[in-house]
Amino acid sequence: MMKKANMVLEKDFKIAEVDKRIYGSFIEHLGRAVYGGIYEPGHPKADERGFRKDVAELIKELQVPIIRYPGGNFVSGYNWEDGVGPVADRPRRLELAWRTTETNEIGTNEFMKWAESVGAEVNMAVNLGTRGIDAARNLVEYCNHPEGSYYSDLRIKHGYKEPHKIKTWCLGNEMDGPWQIGHKTASEYGRIAVEAAKVMKWVDPTIELVACGSSNRSMPTFAEWEATVLDHTYDHVEYISLHQYYGNRDNDIKNYLAQSLEMDDFIQSVISIADYIKAKKRSKKKINLSFDEWNVWYHSNEADKLIEPWSIAPPQLEDIYNFEDALLVGCMLITMLKHADRLKIACLAQLVNVIAPIMTEENGLAWKQTIFYPYMHASVYGRGIALNPIISSPKYDSKDFTDVPMLEATAVYNEEKEQLTIFAVNRDTEDALELSCDIRNFENYQVVEHIVLENPNIKETNSAVNQSVAPHTNGNAQANDGSVSAMLPKLSWNVIRLEKR
Ligand code: AHR
């Protein structure tokens, strides 16, 4: 007998307007993300500044609204001054986070101009590892102050008359991690973060700040770290960050696809901690969440051990994603949408070559990894109001999880365009799932298309010449009498798009 799942969608069951920044991404000075990724002078598709137009086109397809930069671990040893001014005068540095050589050919101004050309804002991180409040406030002055001060005039001298007007800033990166350059205790970090936050906002009161949360949910200091950091910074920041990567190390797909439940728990926990500090401070202000690093990351771990130290832009963290990774990425996107009321920024880490949806060949093609597709679908069709779906689904147990729903799903309603989009993953490894979705007060909504990403081989990957993991639009969803019915193939990512007729 066919397995069945039900979902109810009501226009008035609203979670919140989706902040488009949850479809953000990340480019670090790491591996071939910048050099050989977005930037490859001499490539046949490079523009006059050396940036690859074919890569930019793929980024535009993803409609990436915000890009975190320049790190990551890299930022904790970075002198931003090395990357501005005449390129010929820029120093080569030993980059200690990833043991490479940084040429500084690309820096703040080049990156800002490039980001603008792909339609993205930048979420700029400051170095609170080797540096501190002085470098941080100077960078805000350099980027955002119009003119008439040392650093704003220096930017103008460097050829950038208009200020970059960067709104979102990260106060360091993963400062709880012993691997981080300038690793700190929660109190040490809380103190430097609040002092940096104060002066950065004194330079530009319009900016928003993200304080570092834990590097992942398994950190021994998790929870206590967030509470201490927020105790120090609460009145001076807008967001607390979360980072999490998953991997199918045990080759157990049922358990692997359930990991988005852990992500859900992580998000819920950080909301609770933020609200605990709110209560403790009797504050009226709410701290929101920035999930500014999330993805699958494990395929490249062994290869990375073989990289020659101090090389320039070596192929680091080049995970080649398979079909099952795309399904987990889909589940993670749905999970984030379910927290649209508190999760306002998220960055798929990263964007090009480094644990990325987009890969490049040197002097060759740019191509789409499997995870490109769910990310693109969510970014393009997931704008509007995140609805609160009422779901009943068959469940399974796995090694680390109980009651894992076969159906992971949610919906976004775009009031203005009168569109409703259902995102759904069938986690079942054996059977298709018959979805019946009650759309009661969405009168006269008809299915525009039912996009499906499926593959008989869960380990199937893409390459520059082979896109065997790619979506089709032959899904069978239909709308009748206030209800949508659809067959969700076993192990599939589905996007059911409806519009008012
Ligand atoms: O995204 C890769 C790395 O993962 C980042 O540099 C760091 O912040 C995290 O540990």
Side-chain angles (χ1 to χ4, degrees), residues 408-437:
E408 189 62 73
T410 196
V412 175
Y413 170 40
N414 192 316
E415 238 166 339
E416 203 186 315
K417 294 185 177 161
E418 298 190 304
Q419 293 171 341
L420 174 67
T421 305
I422 298 168
F423 299 103
V425 171
N426 177 6
R427 287 192 178 98
D428 197 341
T429 53
E430 275 138 39
D431 297 313
L433 195 56
E434 203 177 296
L435 170 68
S436 165
C437 180

Side-chain angles (χ1 to χ4, degrees), residues 93-364:
R93 298 267 187 204
L94 292 187
E95 200 293 284
L96 299 183
W98 301 103
R99 293 180 69 72
T100 55
T101 300
E102 171 57 50
T103 63
N104 284 304
E105 204 174 328
I106 296 296
T108 304
N109 293 317
E110 293 86 9
F111 190 81
M112 291 305 302
K113 199 160 171 91
W114 171 82
E116 193 187 355
S117 75
V118 296
E121 355 168 359
V122 169
N123 177 4
M124 183 68 82
V126 298
N127 174 355
L128 295 187
T130 57
R131 306 193 76 189
I133 66 173
D134 196 36
R137 60 137 184 193
N138 293 344
L139 182 58
V140 178
E141 182 183 320
Y142 183 88
C143 291
N144 285 12
H145 196 70
E147 61 182 330
S149 67
Y150 178 77
Y151 284 106
S152 58
D153 288 346
L154 188 61
R155 182 197 68 242
I156 294 168
K157 191 173 144 207
H158 291 159
Y160 295 82
K161 171 126 191 39
E162 293 306 316
H164 297 308
K165 296 187 183 145
I166 301 170
K167 183 178 168 206
T168 316
W169 296 75
C170 293
L171 295 165
N173 177 70
E174 295 190 348
M175 300 306 302
D176 61 325
W179 60 86
Q180 199 68 211
I181 302 171
H183 168 220
K184 293 177 175 40
T185 65
S187 304
E188 286 166 350
Y189 171 68
R191 285 292 306 129
I192 194 172
V194 69
E195 293 305 323
K198 264 167 44 187
V199 294
M200 289 167 76
K201 284 189 172 173
W202 287 348
V203 174
D204 182 354
T206 69
I207 62 174
E208 292 194 334
L209 298 173
V210 185
C212 285
S214 296
S215 301
N216 59 70
R217 187 172 166 272
S218 311
M219 293 300 289
T221 47
F222 169 58
E224 197 53 52
W225 172 275
E226 278 76 0
T228 307
V229 166
L230 285 176
D231 222 353
H232 285 285
T233 59
Y234 203 90
D235 294 335
H236 299 271
V237 303
E238 282 66 37
Y239 309 94
I240 181 89
S241 75
L242 299 83
H243 290 183
Q244 190 72 53
Y245 296 97
Y246 293 115
N248 190 6
R249 293 192 171 80
D250 303 330
N251 196 17
D252 174 349
I253 186 162
K254 290 188 173 186
N255 204 46
Y256 181 51
L257 294 184
Q259 291 188 30
S260 59
L261 303 190
E262 189 192 283
M263 181 192 215
D264 185 72
D265 187 65
F266 186 22
I267 294 172
Q268 198 48 61
S269 304
V270 176
I271 293 170
S272 307
I273 301 162
D275 290 349
Y276 158 67
I277 301 297
K278 175 176 187 286
K280 193 175 157 196
K281 291 186 178 288
R282 282 92 175 146
S283 174
K284 288 199 163 56
K285 175 180 172 185
K286 252 190 204 163
I287 296 288
N288 284 319
L289 273 50
S290 171
F291 213 126
D292 47 43
E293 286 189 36
W294 69 273
N295 203 348
V296 170
W297 173 15
Y298 76 108
H299 297 285
S300 58
N301 293 167
E302 289 307 308
D304 283 346
K305 293 180 187 155
L306 308 174
I307 285 176
E308 190 62 33
W310 317 124
S311 13
I312 298 174
Q316 282 169 308
L317 280 64
E318 297 208 357
D319 274 41
I320 300 300
Y321 292 114
N322 60 31
F323 172 61
E324 67 184 8
D325 299 329
L327 293 178
L328 180 63
V329 163
C331 290
M332 290 166 93
L333 286 158
I334 291 171
T335 302
M336 290 193 281
L337 280 169
K338 287 182 177 170
H339 290 285
D341 54 338
R342 297 298 292 276
L343 186 61
K344 300 295 174 187
I345 305 172
C347 303
L348 175 70
Q350 299 191 6
L351 188 54
V352 182
N353 287 331
V354 173
I355 43 175
I358 297 169
M359 299 299 289
T360 67
E361 293 177 325
E362 190 185 344
N363 219 19

